[in-house]
Amino acid sequence: MKLWRDNQIPGTKSKAKGTALGGRGDNINVDIRKSEAGIEWMEEFLLNSPTPVLKIEKEGVITYSNEAGKPLIEEWGSIPGGKVPLNIHKIVRKAAFRRKSECLELKAGEKTYLATFVPSADGKYTVLHTSDINSSKKMERKLSLIDRYYEAFTRVAELSLICTDLQTLLDESFNLIISTLDAKYCKILKLLNDGNFLVEAGVGWKPEDTGKVIKREESSVAGYTVLSKKPINIEDLDKKGSIERMGLYGYSEITHGISVLVGSLEKPYGVLAVHSTRKEKFTKEDACFLKGIASMLSLAFERNKVESTLLDKVLFLETLVDTIPAPVFYKDREGSTADATTSLQK
């Protein structure tokens, strides 16, 4: 597509080079050459600009595009000399009518641009020039994701303190994990004494899969995870068939997975694993978030174990005291009778 020069625009009169007017021909020739040099420089600048520059007529026809503008035109499903989409045409007409620039975010492939539609003085066309905001959009998404990580992590921490039922804590945590990571499946594989793994709990999986025992030779990723301090990122699970080898069938849409250790290397509880059907891979930020959640759940498991042990001891001591034939009672710090054995109560 061609960038028209002033002396080439259809309907305008051409200026002859070297025309002498009252002895000033040499000066005019110099001015013309300077003007042409300036136009050539501008053409070269626009052509090699790394961001799209387009000229769009009021009727919506693209009359100029530099090389960088081609992906944008392809994104619109148009061609040089063709028309822009309806939503873009509306912006062009609005800018031309108001004689005021309009801005809009545009995507072309993996790039995001901030497009500015600048109308001509007569409103007959609009020049669209853009600036690449890919890096700022990525930073914006990253900051938004960090906020989501923080909210989810805070909520799991609160639940670990107030939930008396471990299953409720796991269910709530799993839902927070998959919503934060935009995943579909989450589970905890508990490491058994014989080295096999138990599907202790999960979300997204079939009900019959919970409680399954997975042989250690069929769960190499889980086995490797309990021996590693780092999260394990698994790709192309649909091609490798890793899910089916674990005895979990009907999940061919799963493409990626990530697993982290729950507990410590010295005392591993098991593995927290998340699986996704998206094309995008899990990032290192996702891994750090999941590792933090795993640490929180590990503390909850440990606390639950300690509380269960203490409760068993209390019940044992109460039963033991009640079986003593002699009357026994005990007081609290204020001196009031707190409790007594059954024989004394009678």
mmCIF file of all heavy atoms in Angstrom, residues 204-238:
data_model
loop_
_atom_site.group_PDB
_atom_site.id
_atom_site.type_symbol
_atom_site.label_atom_id
_atom_site.label_comp_id
_atom_site.label_asym_id
_atom_site.label_seq_id
_atom_site.Cartn_x
_atom_site.Cartn_y
_atom_site.Cartn_z
ATOM 1 N N GLY A 204 -13.064 -31.995 41.463
ATOM 2 C CA GLY A 204 -13.032 -32.118 40.013
ATOM 3 C C GLY A 204 -12.964 -33.567 39.561
ATOM 4 O O GLY A 204 -13.334 -33.903 38.436
ATOM 5 N N TRP A 205 -12.462 -34.455 40.440
ATOM 6 C CA TRP A 205 -12.318 -35.869 40.095
ATOM 7 C C TRP A 205 -13.633 -36.611 40.308
ATOM 8 O O TRP A 205 -14.525 -36.136 41.015
ATOM 9 C CB TRP A 205 -11.221 -36.503 40.961
ATOM 10 C CG TRP A 205 -9.931 -35.761 40.913
ATOM 11 C CD1 TRP A 205 -9.519 -34.774 41.761
ATOM 12 C CD2 TRP A 205 -8.894 -35.906 39.927
ATOM 13 N NE1 TRP A 205 -8.285 -34.304 41.384
ATOM 14 C CE2 TRP A 205 -7.873 -34.974 40.255
ATOM 15 C CE3 TRP A 205 -8.719 -36.729 38.818
ATOM 16 C CZ2 TRP A 205 -6.711 -34.847 39.512
ATOM 17 C CZ3 TRP A 205 -7.559 -36.611 38.072
ATOM 18 C CH2 TRP A 205 -6.573 -35.679 38.422
ATOM 19 N N LYS A 206 -13.747 -37.777 39.716
ATOM 20 C CA LYS A 206 -14.936 -38.601 39.901
ATOM 21 C C LYS A 206 -14.989 -39.092 41.345
ATOM 22 O O LYS A 206 -13.940 -39.375 41.944
ATOM 23 C CB LYS A 206 -14.903 -39.789 38.945
ATOM 24 C CG LYS A 206 -14.935 -39.400 37.466
ATOM 25 C CD LYS A 206 -14.744 -40.617 36.583
ATOM 26 C CE LYS A 206 -14.665 -40.207 35.114
ATOM 27 N NZ LYS A 206 -14.391 -41.371 34.230
ATOM 28 N N PRO A 207 -16.191 -39.206 41.922
ATOM 29 C CA PRO A 207 -16.311 -39.635 43.332
ATOM 30 C C PRO A 207 -15.621 -40.966 43.610
ATOM 31 O O PRO A 207 -15.038 -41.160 44.681
ATOM 32 C CB PRO A 207 -17.827 -39.753 43.536
ATOM 33 C CG PRO A 207 -18.416 -38.817 42.514
ATOM 34 C CD PRO A 207 -17.503 -38.876 41.333
ATOM 35 N N GLU A 208 -15.683 -41.889 42.629
ATOM 36 C CA GLU A 208 -15.089 -43.207 42.856
ATOM 37 C C GLU A 208 -13.561 -43.182 42.878
ATOM 38 O O GLU A 208 -12.925 -44.158 43.295
ATOM 39 C CB GLU A 208 -15.563 -44.200 41.788
ATOM 40 C CG GLU A 208 -15.254 -43.811 40.356
ATOM 41 C CD GLU A 208 -16.384 -43.046 39.681
ATOM 42 O OE1 GLU A 208 -17.150 -42.378 40.410
ATOM 43 O OE2 GLU A 208 -16.480 -43.128 38.454
ATOM 44 N N ASP A 209 -12.955 -42.089 42.429
ATOM 45 C CA ASP A 209 -11.496 -41.997 42.435
ATOM 46 C C ASP A 209 -10.947 -41.669 43.822
ATOM 47 O O ASP A 209 -9.793 -41.988 44.128
ATOM 48 C CB ASP A 209 -11.013 -40.941 41.432
ATOM 49 C CG ASP A 209 -11.214 -41.399 39.988
ATOM 50 O OD1 ASP A 209 -11.203 -42.614 39.753
ATOM 51 O OD2 ASP A 209 -11.400 -40.536 39.111
ATOM 52 N N THR A 210 -11.761 -41.004 44.642
ATOM 53 C CA THR A 210 -11.333 -40.706 46.010
ATOM 54 C C THR A 210 -11.256 -42.000 46.816
ATOM 55 O O THR A 210 -12.194 -42.794 46.824
ATOM 56 C CB THR A 210 -12.314 -39.733 46.691
ATOM 57 O OG1 THR A 210 -12.399 -38.540 45.920
ATOM 58 C CG2 THR A 210 -11.851 -39.381 48.097
ATOM 59 N N GLY A 211 -10.153 -42.232 47.462
ATOM 60 C CA GLY A 211 -9.948 -43.460 48.219
ATOM 61 C C GLY A 211 -9.154 -44.505 47.463
ATOM 62 O O GLY A 211 -8.818 -45.556 48.027
ATOM 63 N N LYS A 212 -8.826 -44.225 46.196
ATOM 64 C CA LYS A 212 -8.034 -45.177 45.421
ATOM 65 C C LYS A 212 -6.595 -45.211 45.913
ATOM 66 O O LYS A 212 -6.038 -44.189 46.297
ATOM 67 C CB LYS A 212 -8.044 -44.801 43.937
ATOM 68 C CG LYS A 212 -9.222 -45.346 43.154
ATOM 69 C CD LYS A 212 -9.035 -45.101 41.662
ATOM 70 C CE LYS A 212 -10.177 -45.741 40.873
ATOM 71 N NZ LYS A 212 -10.016 -45.527 39.418
ATOM 72 N N VAL A 213 -6.013 -46.393 45.872
ATOM 73 C CA VAL A 213 -4.596 -46.540 46.199
ATOM 74 C C VAL A 213 -3.823 -46.646 44.892
ATOM 75 O O VAL A 213 -4.146 -47.479 44.032
ATOM 76 C CB VAL A 213 -4.342 -47.777 47.068
ATOM 77 C CG1 VAL A 213 -2.840 -47.976 47.274
ATOM 78 C CG2 VAL A 213 -5.049 -47.643 48.411
ATOM 79 N N ILE A 214 -2.833 -45.767 44.731
ATOM 80 C CA ILE A 214 -2.020 -45.748 43.514
ATOM 81 C C ILE A 214 -0.653 -46.336 43.831
ATOM 82 O O ILE A 214 0.043 -45.876 44.747
ATOM 83 C CB ILE A 214 -1.878 -44.312 42.984
ATOM 84 C CG1 ILE A 214 -3.264 -43.713 42.719
ATOM 85 C CG2 ILE A 214 -1.048 -44.279 41.708
ATOM 86 C CD1 ILE A 214 -3.238 -42.250 42.359
ATOM 87 N N LYS A 215 -0.282 -47.353 43.092
ATOM 88 C CA LYS A 215 1.005 -48.002 43.304
ATOM 89 C C LYS A 215 2.142 -47.023 43.031
ATOM 90 O O LYS A 215 2.047 -46.173 42.149
ATOM 91 C CB LYS A 215 1.143 -49.225 42.393
ATOM 92 C CG LYS A 215 0.078 -50.290 42.613
ATOM 93 C CD LYS A 215 0.184 -50.922 43.985
ATOM 94 C CE LYS A 215 -0.842 -52.044 44.166
ATOM 95 N NZ LYS A 215 -0.762 -52.639 45.522
ATOM 96 N N ARG A 216 3.206 -47.141 43.794
ATOM 97 C CA ARG A 216 4.315 -46.200 43.679
ATOM 98 C C ARG A 216 4.963 -46.218 42.307
ATOM 99 O O ARG A 216 5.426 -45.186 41.811
ATOM 100 C CB ARG A 216 5.356 -46.455 44.758
ATOM 101 C CG ARG A 216 5.884 -47.862 44.816
ATOM 102 C CD ARG A 216 6.819 -48.018 45.991
ATOM 103 N NE ARG A 216 7.191 -49.416 46.198
ATOM 104 C CZ ARG A 216 7.914 -49.833 47.222
ATOM 105 N NH1 ARG A 216 8.349 -48.952 48.103
ATOM 106 N NH2 ARG A 216 8.213 -51.109 47.369
ATOM 107 N N GLU A 217 4.965 -47.405 41.651
ATOM 108 C CA GLU A 217 5.565 -47.467 40.316
ATOM 109 C C GLU A 217 4.685 -46.773 39.271
ATOM 110 O O GLU A 217 5.143 -46.463 38.177
ATOM 111 C CB GLU A 217 5.819 -48.929 39.903
ATOM 112 C CG GLU A 217 4.605 -49.820 39.918
ATOM 113 C CD GLU A 217 4.428 -50.524 41.260
ATOM 114 O OE1 GLU A 217 5.039 -50.059 42.252
ATOM 115 O OE2 GLU A 217 3.690 -51.527 41.300
ATOM 116 N N GLU A 218 3.412 -46.548 39.613
ATOM 117 C CA GLU A 218 2.496 -45.860 38.696
ATOM 118 C C GLU A 218 2.383 -44.379 39.016
ATOM 119 O O GLU A 218 1.669 -43.651 38.339
ATOM 120 C CB GLU A 218 1.106 -46.515 38.772
ATOM 121 C CG GLU A 218 1.096 -47.974 38.332
ATOM 122 C CD GLU A 218 -0.220 -48.650 38.626
ATOM 123 O OE1 GLU A 218 -1.027 -48.049 39.359
ATOM 124 O OE2 GLU A 218 -0.451 -49.764 38.118
ATOM 125 N N SER A 219 3.042 -43.930 40.064
ATOM 126 C CA SER A 219 2.959 -42.522 40.472
ATOM 127 C C SER A 219 4.359 -41.959 40.652
ATOM 128 O O SER A 219 4.712 -41.476 41.727
ATOM 129 C CB SER A 219 2.154 -42.395 41.765
ATOM 130 O OG SER A 219 2.686 -43.249 42.768
ATOM 131 N N SER A 220 5.144 -42.044 39.593
ATOM 132 C CA SER A 220 6.543 -41.615 39.676
ATOM 133 C C SER A 220 6.667 -40.125 39.986
ATOM 134 O O SER A 220 7.580 -39.714 40.702
ATOM 135 C CB SER A 220 7.261 -41.929 38.365
ATOM 136 O OG SER A 220 6.606 -41.325 37.266
ATOM 137 N N VAL A 221 5.740 -39.318 39.447
ATOM 138 C CA VAL A 221 5.794 -37.875 39.699
ATOM 139 C C VAL A 221 5.566 -37.588 41.176
ATOM 140 O O VAL A 221 6.280 -36.795 41.802
ATOM 141 C CB VAL A 221 4.758 -37.121 38.840
ATOM 142 C CG1 VAL A 221 4.711 -35.656 39.234
ATOM 143 C CG2 VAL A 221 5.096 -37.260 37.368
ATOM 144 N N ALA A 222 4.565 -38.240 41.760
ATOM 145 C CA ALA A 222 4.293 -38.052 43.192
ATOM 146 C C ALA A 222 5.478 -38.522 44.021
ATOM 147 O O ALA A 222 5.876 -37.874 44.999
ATOM 148 C CB ALA A 222 3.030 -38.804 43.584
ATOM 149 N N GLY A 223 6.061 -39.659 43.637
ATOM 150 C CA GLY A 223 7.214 -40.174 44.364
ATOM 151 C C GLY A 223 8.403 -39.240 44.285
ATOM 152 O O GLY A 223 9.127 -39.047 45.276
ATOM 153 N N TYR A 224 8.596 -38.657 43.118
ATOM 154 C CA TYR A 224 9.710 -37.720 42.959
ATOM 155 C C TYR A 224 9.455 -36.439 43.752
ATOM 156 O O TYR A 224 10.380 -35.842 44.293
ATOM 157 C CB TYR A 224 9.898 -37.394 41.479
ATOM 158 C CG TYR A 224 11.113 -36.549 41.186
ATOM 159 C CD1 TYR A 224 12.406 -37.053 41.367
ATOM 160 C CD2 TYR A 224 10.976 -35.238 40.751
ATOM 161 C CE1 TYR A 224 13.525 -36.278 41.115
ATOM 162 C CE2 TYR A 224 12.091 -34.444 40.496
ATOM 163 C CZ TYR A 224 13.361 -34.976 40.673
ATOM 164 O OH TYR A 224 14.462 -34.197 40.429
ATOM 165 N N THR A 225 8.169 -36.041 43.837
ATOM 166 C CA THR A 225 7.817 -34.802 44.554
ATOM 167 C C THR A 225 8.154 -34.902 46.030
ATOM 168 O O THR A 225 8.650 -33.942 46.628
ATOM 169 C CB THR A 225 6.320 -34.482 44.373
ATOM 170 O OG1 THR A 225 6.019 -34.372 42.977
ATOM 171 C CG2 THR A 225 5.971 -33.161 45.057
ATOM 172 N N VAL A 226 7.891 -36.058 46.657
ATOM 173 C CA VAL A 226 8.160 -36.188 48.103
ATOM 174 C C VAL A 226 9.651 -36.245 48.396
ATOM 175 O O VAL A 226 10.067 -36.154 49.553
ATOM 176 C CB VAL A 226 7.474 -37.441 48.701
ATOM 177 C CG1 VAL A 226 5.974 -37.332 48.590
ATOM 178 C CG2 VAL A 226 7.980 -38.711 48.039
ATOM 179 N N LEU A 227 10.450 -36.388 47.350
ATOM 180 C CA LEU A 227 11.905 -36.383 47.528
ATOM 181 C C LEU A 227 12.526 -35.053 47.134
ATOM 182 O O LEU A 227 13.745 -34.888 47.193
ATOM 183 C CB LEU A 227 12.542 -37.503 46.692
ATOM 184 C CG LEU A 227 12.123 -38.940 47.035
ATOM 185 C CD1 LEU A 227 12.736 -39.911 46.038
ATOM 186 C CD2 LEU A 227 12.531 -39.290 48.452
ATOM 187 N N SER A 228 11.695 -34.108 46.736
ATOM 188 C CA SER A 228 12.203 -32.821 46.243
ATOM 189 C C SER A 228 11.603 -31.665 47.021
ATOM 190 O O SER A 228 10.427 -31.688 47.387
ATOM 191 C CB SER A 228 11.871 -32.674 44.754
ATOM 192 O OG SER A 228 12.218 -31.395 44.287
ATOM 193 N N LYS A 229 12.428 -30.661 47.259
ATOM 194 C CA LYS A 229 11.943 -29.438 47.908
ATOM 195 C C LYS A 229 11.245 -28.521 46.918
ATOM 196 O O LYS A 229 10.490 -27.628 47.298
ATOM 197 C CB LYS A 229 13.113 -28.683 48.546
ATOM 198 C CG LYS A 229 13.724 -29.367 49.766
ATOM 199 C CD LYS A 229 14.813 -28.505 50.372
ATOM 200 C CE LYS A 229 15.400 -29.150 51.622
ATOM 201 N NZ LYS A 229 16.456 -28.317 52.227
ATOM 202 N N LYS A 230 11.509 -28.720 45.626
ATOM 203 C CA LYS A 230 10.968 -27.838 44.597
ATOM 204 C C LYS A 230 9.674 -28.397 44.010
ATOM 205 O O LYS A 230 9.516 -29.623 43.898
ATOM 206 C CB LYS A 230 11.997 -27.644 43.480
ATOM 207 C CG LYS A 230 13.278 -26.949 43.922
ATOM 208 C CD LYS A 230 14.227 -26.778 42.746
ATOM 209 C CE LYS A 230 15.509 -26.083 43.169
ATOM 210 N NZ LYS A 230 16.449 -25.923 42.032
ATOM 211 N N PRO A 231 8.760 -27.512 43.587
ATOM 212 C CA PRO A 231 7.545 -27.958 42.896
ATOM 213 C C PRO A 231 7.905 -28.641 41.577
ATOM 214 O O PRO A 231 8.874 -28.272 40.920
ATOM 215 C CB PRO A 231 6.776 -26.657 42.642
ATOM 216 C CG PRO A 231 7.332 -25.678 43.641
ATOM 217 C CD PRO A 231 8.758 -26.061 43.827
ATOM 218 N N ILE A 232 7.134 -29.646 41.202
ATOM 219 C CA ILE A 232 7.353 -30.376 39.959
ATOM 220 C C ILE A 232 6.289 -29.959 38.952
ATOM 221 O O ILE A 232 5.086 -30.119 39.195
ATOM 222 C CB ILE A 232 7.290 -31.904 40.181
ATOM 223 C CG1 ILE A 232 8.229 -32.308 41.326
ATOM 224 C CG2 ILE A 232 7.650 -32.637 38.905
ATOM 225 C CD1 ILE A 232 9.679 -31.945 41.101
ATOM 226 N N ASN A 233 6.736 -29.415 37.818
ATOM 227 C CA ASN A 233 5.825 -28.974 36.760
ATOM 228 C C ASN A 233 5.797 -30.037 35.672
ATOM 229 O O ASN A 233 6.833 -30.395 35.128
ATOM 230 C CB ASN A 233 6.310 -27.637 36.184
ATOM 231 C CG ASN A 233 5.162 -26.792 35.673
ATOM 232 O OD1 ASN A 233 4.148 -27.333 35.248
ATOM 233 N ND2 ASN A 233 5.325 -25.477 35.705
ATOM 234 N N ILE A 234 4.598 -30.541 35.363
ATOM 235 C CA ILE A 234 4.481 -31.609 34.368
ATOM 236 C C ILE A 234 3.733 -31.072 33.150
ATOM 237 O O ILE A 234 2.672 -30.444 33.290
ATOM 238 C CB ILE A 234 3.729 -32.835 34.926
ATOM 239 C CG1 ILE A 234 4.186 -33.151 36.349
ATOM 240 C CG2 ILE A 234 3.948 -34.039 34.046
ATOM 241 C CD1 ILE A 234 3.224 -32.801 37.400
ATOM 242 N N GLU A 235 4.286 -31.328 31.970
ATOM 243 C CA GLU A 235 3.679 -30.848 30.724
ATOM 244 C C GLU A 235 3.267 -32.023 29.848
ATOM 245 O O GLU A 235 3.755 -33.138 29.993
ATOM 246 C CB GLU A 235 4.668 -29.957 29.959
ATOM 247 C CG GLU A 235 5.108 -28.733 30.746
ATOM 248 C CD GLU A 235 6.182 -27.942 30.012
ATOM 249 O OE1 GLU A 235 6.394 -28.213 28.825
ATOM 250 O OE2 GLU A 235 6.801 -27.069 30.636
ATOM 251 N N ASP A 236 2.341 -31.716 28.918
ATOM 252 C CA ASP A 236 1.894 -32.700 27.920
ATOM 253 C C ASP A 236 1.408 -33.996 28.550
ATOM 254 O O ASP A 236 1.716 -35.098 28.099
ATOM 255 C CB ASP A 236 3.014 -33.008 26.916
ATOM 256 C CG ASP A 236 3.474 -31.767 26.166
ATOM 257 O OD1 ASP A 236 2.613 -30.906 25.905
ATOM 258 O OD2 ASP A 236 4.660 -31.651 25.859
ATOM 259 N N LEU A 237 0.602 -33.871 29.613
ATOM 260 C CA LEU A 237 0.087 -35.063 30.276
ATOM 261 C C LEU A 237 -0.860 -35.846 29.373
ATOM 262 O O LEU A 237 -0.988 -37.063 29.496
ATOM 263 C CB LEU A 237 -0.644 -34.671 31.565
ATOM 264 C CG LEU A 237 0.258 -34.261 32.737
ATOM 265 C CD1 LEU A 237 -0.581 -33.754 33.892
ATOM 266 C CD2 LEU A 237 1.103 -35.428 33.192
ATOM 267 N N ASP A 238 -1.541 -35.136 28.448
ATOM 268 C CA ASP A 238 -2.464 -35.811 27.546
ATOM 269 C C ASP A 238 -1.716 -36.746 26.593
ATOM 270 O O ASP A 238 -2.222 -37.778 26.181
ATOM 271 C CB ASP A 238 -3.288 -34.798 26.749
ATOM 272 C CG ASP A 238 -2.419 -33.746 26.056
ATOM 273 O OD1 ASP A 238 -1.276 -33.560 26.488
ATOM 274 O OD2 ASP A 238 -2.907 -33.125 25.099
#
